[in-house]
Amino acid sequence: QSGWRTLGARESSLWKRRVVLVQADYDDLTRELERFSVRERQRAMEEEERKELLRRTRGGGDAARHVVDIDLESGTRDSAKRSARAVEDMLGMGTAVLDAYASQRERLKSA
């Protein structure tokens, strides 16, 4: 207040208005900064949620382990099926060879 007294009445009221305007600007900027901070926090949270969802859908985390387990189990089952078919084929060929030997033996006996 003592600084205002050294100025003239006109200058004093001018500076008081400027101070009031600067305070109003400061208050407005503070409110805008708060709003901006809230929006930025929301954006950051949404980004983290998106990253988490993408990680889950692209094979990260527990879901990926379950998918890998299912894939391994499926691969093992397919391998067992192929092995069973190969064994059946070998048994069929072995049976055919033995049948051929048996018929050859019969022919040789009768000759």
Side-chain angles (χ1 to χ4, degrees):
Q1 282 290 357
S2 63
W4 300 117
R5 290 184 190 146
T6 58
L7 298 174
R10 185 174 171 192
E11 289 178 334
S12 174
S13 67
L14 178 67
W15 280 106
K16 283 182 183 180
R17 274 189 263 141
R18 285 185 180 174
V19 167
V20 168
L21 288 174
V22 168
Q23 284 175 336
D25 287 344
Y26 173 79
D27 292 340
D28 289 341
L29 290 173
T30 303
R31 277 192 298 275
E32 282 301 313
L33 179 62
E34 281 296 318
R35 288 184 197 136
F36 178 78
S37 297
V38 168
R39 285 193 309 266
E40 277 302 304
R41 275 183 261 140
Q42 286 175 338
R43 283 186 195 125
M45 286 174 38
E46 289 171 359
E47 181 67 25
E48 286 300 316
E49 289 173 0
R50 275 194 294 276
K51 285 179 183 177
E52 175 67 20
L53 287 172
L54 284 172
R55 185 181 64 77
R56 282 192 223 158
T57 57
R58 289 186 179 160
D62 292 339
R65 276 185 243 127
H66 292 302
V67 169
V68 168
D69 290 344
I70 290 170
D71 287 345
L72 285 174
E73 188 175 320
S74 176
T76 303
R77 186 179 28 229
D78 291 343
S79 177
K81 285 180 183 178
R82 284 192 304 270
S83 296
R85 272 184 261 142
V87 167
E88 286 175 11
D89 290 345
M90 282 189 264
L91 284 173
M93 283 191 281
T95 303
V97 167
L98 289 175
D99 286 342
Y101 283 152
S103 70
Q104 187 180 21
R105 180 176 172 238
E106 290 301 320
R107 272 189 307 214
L108 288 173
K109 271 187 173 179
S110 64

